[in-house]
Amino acid sequence: MILPEAFEKRMKEKLGNAFPAFQQALEEDTPVSIRLNCKKWKVFNFPQTVPWTTDGFYLEKRPKFTLDPLFHAGAYYVQEASSMFLEQAFKQHVDLEESLNVLDLCAAPGGKSTHLASLISEDSLLVSNEVIKSRSSILAENMCKWGSGNVLVTNNDPKDFNRLAEFFDVMVVDAPCSGEGMFRKDPGAVTEWSEENVKLCAQRQQRILMDVWDALRPGGVLIYSTCTYNQLENEDNISWLLDQKEAESLKIETDPQWNVTAVEEKSQYSYHFYPHQNKGEGFFLTVLRKKGEWQPPSTKKKSKKSLLQKASKQEQQALNGWLKNEDPWAFIKHKDTLKAFPKEKLTQIEKLYKNLRVVYGGTELAELKRKNIRPSHQLAMFQSLNKENFQHLEVDKKTALQFLSKGDLQLHELPKDWALITFEEIPLGWVKRAGNRLNTYYPKEWRIRMDISSENY
Ligand code: SAM
């Protein structure tokens, strides 16, 4: 790989004798890793764990993920291994038993957000935000497939969050950066790299941090990460923030076998991943705690006009048995749909709807069509779906891929009415019998577009 001259010079200064090993690692294949969605899939026969995680695993080679129905079912997320280090920051500095408000500010396509959704408690709330509209749709799709239920996907500029003063207990800023750590995985990042762009990225990161700082409560935790190596976008930005705001840098304990490069300078702790030392791409992470006293706001105060209207008794009865455990959920009627929102977070969710552009919120359980009630695709993806309440038809891989492509389905039996199509017992979506025919209800914008007819299953 031909590296930009200025980048190479800087990395030689930074790494010294280790530079040839770094350069050599850039010629090697990118490791492939996934993180399991254990609320959907409990298979642990992967040979190698990503050591700083519980649910992350390396694969020996890169399969065609598009041809794996479990990928579409949200049974796992394909995620670069180094960035899964977020788990350590969370486990060591956040009380995961608490009911938290968590913001993932730069969230698309959803690697960190799906991870956060698995780490936080069921009565916590994750706001997964992406400023670019088209990317927020991809984020919403991935969050829907993950199926946690306590997630809101928003499409807002960081400065919009100053309407939510001290709202969040935890914030993750996985900032847009110059992408030096992605050179091996994404050759486009090499051609786009320049000293000028590094400076622009650093300035943008400062703006982003300033814009959201007030939305973090005193005592709250900010996790800042990039996939770049340079000091300007990493340590320097954090020193700059610490100079202006009352915060302290937090240490993360690391196992020596992980080979993480921990840097401590003037009570500022930071963590670097390099491809010649870690089985993953380049990554940087640091954790801050905002100083100050905090009084939690009372959640008792009800707003006069609620945006979230409770479903009627009759509508709620129609959903009887659809979820494994109904206790954590409030059933809300929104236009012609019935949705489940986390009961304990309704006041906060209401506030978020009033202040942000929510593109995905709660889990749509059903659509109301005249007198009929139709199960929604989001329900099929929901971790809390009570599968046993519905007829399900287990299919082989070829049929599963036909379903996911919205092609003609050949089933051994027609269902009685609505039924779930499952692959390895994990729901993929709905079908419904219409006389002697079968209608499929997989969202057309998510369908597999590649030609699957010539594939060996
Ligand atoms: N956290 C994501 C994950 O784990 O999948 C990756 C995020 S990526 C490193 C940075 C994200 O920041 C991109 O989705 C990009 O669209 C978004 N972004 C770009 N400019 C931004 C800005 N000015 N403010 C906030 N986010 C921005």
Side-chain angles (χ1 to χ4, degrees):
M1 181 186 301
I2 299 172
L3 297 170
E5 215 174 291
F7 169 77
E8 186 168 327
K9 183 167 174 283
R10 188 155 37 69
M11 289 311 282
K12 278 182 176 157
E13 282 163 18
K14 195 177 183 77
L15 299 175
N17 291 342
F19 180 78
F22 169 75
Q23 201 172 24
Q24 170 64 32
L26 294 184
E27 301 300 329
E28 287 161 14
D29 286 342
T30 298
V32 185
S33 45
I34 60 170
R35 197 171 27 72
L36 303 190
N37 185 350
C38 294
K39 293 241 173 91
K40 289 197 177 191
W41 199 33
K42 290 194 173 63
V43 183
F44 290 97
N45 57 359
F46 295 99
Q48 205 190 354
T49 314
V50 176
W52 39 89
T53 71
T54 49
D55 304 335
F57 296 90
Y58 291 104
L59 305 184
E60 272 157 27
K61 56 182 191 330
R62 192 173 187 88
K64 277 189 188 162
F65 287 111
T66 309
L67 295 178
D68 181 5
L70 295 179
F71 169 71
H72 301 274
Y76 60 87
Y77 190 93
V78 184
Q79 189 184 16
E80 192 285 301
S82 307
S83 58
M84 297 183 198
F85 186 63
L86 172 71
E87 179 167 329
Q88 289 303 323
F90 240 76
K91 285 186 169 164
Q92 295 185 32
H93 292 297
V94 177
D95 182 353
L96 294 172
E97 300 295 309
E98 256 189 64
S99 164
L100 303 165
N101 292 338
V102 179
L103 171 65
D104 184 7
L105 182 70
C106 314
K112 310 241 173 10
S113 274
T114 50
H115 201 170
L116 294 168
S118 292
L119 290 168
I120 60 178
S121 62
E122 204 172 48
D123 58 357
S124 292
L125 182 66
L126 171 65
V127 177
S128 190
N129 178 70
E130 168 57 43
V131 66
I132 298 174
K133 194 161 183 246
S134 56
R135 289 176 63 80
S136 71
S137 311
I138 296 159
L139 176 63
E141 176 180 337
N142 285 332
M143 295 320 289
C144 172
K145 287 178 178 169
W146 201 252
S148 299
N150 51 352
V151 178
L152 249 59
V153 176
T154 58
N155 169 220
N156 282 83
D157 190 277
K159 68 177 176 323
D160 298 340
F161 286 86
N162 58 31
R163 300 171 200 148
L164 295 161
E166 300 187 358
F167 186 88
F168 293 100
D169 303 286
V170 188
M171 268 184 192
V172 176
V173 178
D174 186 32
C177 69
S178 59
E180 294 164 357
M182 288 294 137
F183 280 3
R184 175 168 68 174
K185 204 173 163 206
D186 171 16
V190 187
T191 46
E192 278 166 30
W193 189 92
S194 68
E195 292 272 37
E196 198 44 42
N197 193 35
V198 167
K199 282 185 203 138
L200 286 175
C201 286
Q203 284 162 6
R204 181 168 57 184
Q205 288 147 358
Q206 292 187 353
R207 250 191 343 264
I208 292 174
L209 287 168
M210 274 302 154
D211 282 344
V212 286
W213 183 256
D214 288 349
L216 182 66
R217 71 157 169 90
V221 166
L222 174 99
I223 300 170
Y224 176 79
S225 60
T226 70
C227 55
T228 212
Y229 304 114
N230 70 76
Q231 196 166 320
L232 213 56
E233 296 179 67
N234 295 333
E235 286 91 343
D236 287 0
N237 267 349
I238 296 306
S239 315
W240 172 86
L241 185 68
L242 289 170
D243 281 346
Q244 304 179 65
K245 301 288 180 188
E246 289 293 315
E248 59 176 329
S249 173
L250 304 179
K251 185 175 182 172
I252 301 177
E253 297 299 336
T254 58
D255 184 323
Q257 290 185 0
W258 300 348
N259 258 342
V260 179
T261 306
V263 181
E264 182 189 348
E265 222 173 320
K266 295 189 208 138
S267 305
Q268 193 180 317
Y269 303 94
S270 39
Y271 301 87
H272 285 269
F273 286 68
Y274 294 101
H276 62 291
Q277 289 187 341
N278 313 102
K279 196 171 172 182
E281 304 309 307
F283 186 61
F284 169 87
L285 184 141
T286 187
V287 191
L288 303 180
R289 189 186 305 283
K290 188 172 187 171
K291 289 184 182 166
E293 289 297 311
W294 184 62
Q295 210 49 49
S298 159
T299 49
K300 296 252 160 30
K301 213 173 95 199
K302 277 258 167 266
S303 62
K304 281 177 214 124
K305 174 121 181 56
S306 178
L307 286 175
L308 303 171
Q309 294 299 327
K310 290 240 164 79
S312 69
K313 275 226 163 74
Q314 204 184 7
E315 286 158 349
Q316 293 197 31
Q317 264 164 14
L319 302 174
N320 238 341
W322 286 27
L323 302 186
K324 279 187 236 167
N325 175 11
E326 291 175 4
D327 286 350
W329 309 107
F331 297 122
I332 301 293
K333 185 166 180 176
H334 178 71
K335 296 181 184 158
D336 287 335
T337 67
L338 297 178
K339 289 185 163 199
F341 282 91
K343 209 186 254 170
E344 295 301 321
K345 289 285 182 188
L346 283 183
T347 316
Q348 288 89 335
I349 290 172
E350 185 111 30
K351 188 165 180 179
L352 292 165
Y353 266 93
K354 282 183 182 150
N355 288 288
L356 300 175
R357 198 178 310 122
V358 178
V359 294
Y360 171 86
T363 304
E364 188 184 298
L365 303 177
E367 266 182 89
L368 302 166
K369 291 261 168 186
R370 285 181 290 268
K371 288 205 166 142
N372 293 328
I373 182 160
R374 276 163 56 149
S376 297
H377 186 71
Q378 290 182 16
L379 173 68
M381 299 288 100
F382 197 17
Q383 291 168 359
S384 298
L385 163 74
N386 179 18
K387 210 170 59 177
E388 304 317 318
N389 193 63
F390 301 92
Q391 184 179 5
H392 37 105
L393 305 172
E394 174 70 12
V395 296
D396 59 16
K397 189 170 176 186
K398 186 174 177 187
T399 315
L401 290 173
Q402 276 163 348
F403 174 74
L404 295 165
S405 315
K406 286 188 83 68
D408 280 340
L409 270 199
Q410 306 297 329
L411 298 177
H412 297 305
E413 51 167 334
L414 278 176
K416 294 185 195 81
D417 189 27
W418 285 96
L420 280 166
I421 296 291
T422 62
F423 177 73
E424 293 192 14
E425 302 292 321
I426 302 182
L428 300 177
W430 298 99
V431 291
K432 184 182 189 295
R433 182 179 187 146
N436 284 331
R437 284 190 317 111
L438 187 73
N439 289 331
T440 59
Y441 288 85
Y442 193 71
K444 68 172 183 306
E445 58 286 7
W446 294 2
R447 73 184 190 282
I448 299 177
R449 284 155 208 266
M450 72 184 268
D451 178 16
I452 55 164
S453 58
S454 56
E455 292 297 331
N456 297 322
Y457 299 105

